[in-house]
Structure formats: structure tokens, C-alpha cells
Amino acid sequence: MVMTVASVALPVHEKLFIQKNRILPPVLSESAKRVCIVTGTHGDELEGQYVCFELGRRLQNEHEHLNGIVDIYPALNPLGIDSISRGIPMFDLDMNRIFPGSEDGTSAEFLAHSIMQDLVGADMCIDIHASNIFLREIPQVRVNETSAEKLLPYAKLLNTDFVWVHEAETVLESTLAYSLNAAGTPALVVEMGTGMRITKAYGDQLLDGIFALLAKLDVWKGNVCPPKEPVISTDGEVMQVSSDCCGIFTPCARHTAHVQKGEQIGTIFDPLAGEIVAELSSPCDGLLFTLRDYPVVYDGSLIARILGGAV
Ligand SMILES: [Zn+2]
């Protein structure tokens, strides 16, 4: 059942709609739980589109196993997706910096407010992101330190390789997930893949995790695959490799590999001079969970993140 969550008028007699697909169980009990899958806040992140499609398809195909409500929101920022823009095009605004929004604010703030009102009260919300066009991420759940105790048992069910527990001071209060958690609605952020692309294998991996989570919440009675045990960031230390020059980066380490201290991650070359200007190596032994996908780099560009000490 496709439902409209919010709509605002556009300048030339058109309307912007934010929609969700509500999939109801064959028998809806009063105690039925509700799980929300949201994505498309950043219009250049498309990995979640496949997850929404395939989740909806499977739930409808095996409808008899559904025991709760699943709401699927593929496009929180539909104008961004349509125009290949990360933010909301008309405002050039990062939509994940305006939550919880405002009922009588600008159009963008009103949309954020309407989305919040629709999600608050759910038993779980999963917000799927896909990095950006520059970096490729291993499938991971990100939770902030302040809600880690409550969220970690659920985060571990999502069948990702990695769970990153962020320190409190790096938490962005204006994100959707932070606002939902602050309002008492548990919300997990998934980051995986890279911007403007769909990595089907990552989507399938996460789907197995979403079904495991649905089963844990008694929303799904069908078969599930046991989720893999993720590495938790608190088991090690996240180290970062950045460029200290301008040029063109090409990787030689494999994304998701376990690298050794001193092992080469890639090189930066100068195409005009025909010279290698930097060779970048890992500062520690660990899991290479973020690797630069976009070749052009400047001084300070992020190249890689490694979870040091990870097994
Ligand atoms: Zn994002």
C-alpha cells in the first residue's frame, strides 16, 4: 500500500511527494511491531534502492510469514535522486542536517518534520546510506556512543562486517538517526558501498541481516540466515590515511583486506610530469574498511580508514 508521508508544492503547479510502501501482515494484531527502512536522504547514494526493492519483493512473495508492519521509504529526498544531487537541489542543502525539522519552517524543514512524525513510535528504523562518490565502505552499522548499549545487540544482527561505535563528540545532532534516537525511536545507520552505484552483493548481505532483525522483533516468521559476527570498532582503533599532495590516486590494496603495517595501499601520480609523487602505506595491521574510489585527490583528501588491531 503506497502512502504519502508528506508533500509540498513546487513552483510550476507540481508537487513533491515523499512516499512509503506499507506492507501489512495477513492478520494485524494490536501488538504488531513496526519496522521502518529508510534511504535516499542523500540523492547520490543509491545502494539502498536495491535493498528497498528486494525487501518489498520478498515480503510480498512470502507474505504469509509477515507478522508485523514494514514501512519502506526509498526516497526521503526524491528531488536529489532525480537530479543526481547529494542535497536538496532547490536549497543546495544536506537533508541529513535539518532533522528533526519544523512544522512551520521552510519547505525542507517541513518535510523533515513530516518524516520524523511518520517514523516516531516505530520499533526500529534502519537508515541506509552509501558513503559518497569518493569513498567505498565495507557494509557497516554506525551507532553513537550514547546509544550503543541499547543499539549494539540489534546492530550485530544486520549481517554487516563491521559496527562502528562513534564517540559522543563526533555525533551530529541534526541527523535523522540522532533525532529519532533522541525521541525514543531506535534507529540504526548503515553505510555501505559507494555513491552513484549499486553493489548488489552488499545489498543481499544486508537483506539477510534485515530479515534476521525482523525475526528478532517478531515481525518475520520465515527462514533467516544466521548473521555474521561483525568486528566492533571498540575492539581496535580506527586509523586514517590521508593524501599530503595533489594528484591522481590509484589503489593497490584490496578493499576489505586485512593489511599489514607498512603495506602499500596505493600511489598518487602526476600525469603531467609522468612521476609518482606519493606512495601511501598502512599505519597499522588491520581491516581496510574504507578505500578511496575517486581518483582525483588534493592535500588532505581521505584515502583509507583501517581498523587497527582487528582480527
Ligand atoms: Zn548518506
Side-chain angles (χ1 to χ4, degrees), residues 41-45 86 94 96 127-132 189-191:
T41 316
H42 292 134
D44 61 345
E45 300 179 19
R86 186 169 180 80
D94 185 337
N96 214 20
D127 183 13
I128 303 169
H129 287 255
S131 186
N132 52 43
V189 174
V190 172
E191 281 280 1

Side-chain angles (χ1 to χ4, degrees), residues 23 35 37 50-67 70 72 126 154 157-159 203-227:
I23 305 175
V35 174
I37 310 295
Y50 170 71
V51 177
C52 287
F53 152 71
E54 183 63 12
L55 178 64
R57 192 188 70 79
R58 288 191 205 176
L59 290 174
Q60 284 157 152
N61 276 0
E62 292 187 62
H63 191 224
E64 67 277 15
H65 299 308
L66 189 60
N67 192 45
V70 179
I72 301 174
I126 302 170
Y154 298 103
L157 292 170
L158 281 179
N159 197 38
D204 288 328
Q205 180 180 340
L206 179 63
L207 280 157
D208 284 344
I210 290 173
F211 277 98
L213 184 61
L214 292 177
K216 176 76 178 175
L217 293 170
D218 203 27
V219 170
W220 180 249
K221 299 278 195 193
N223 289 334
V224 295
C225 303

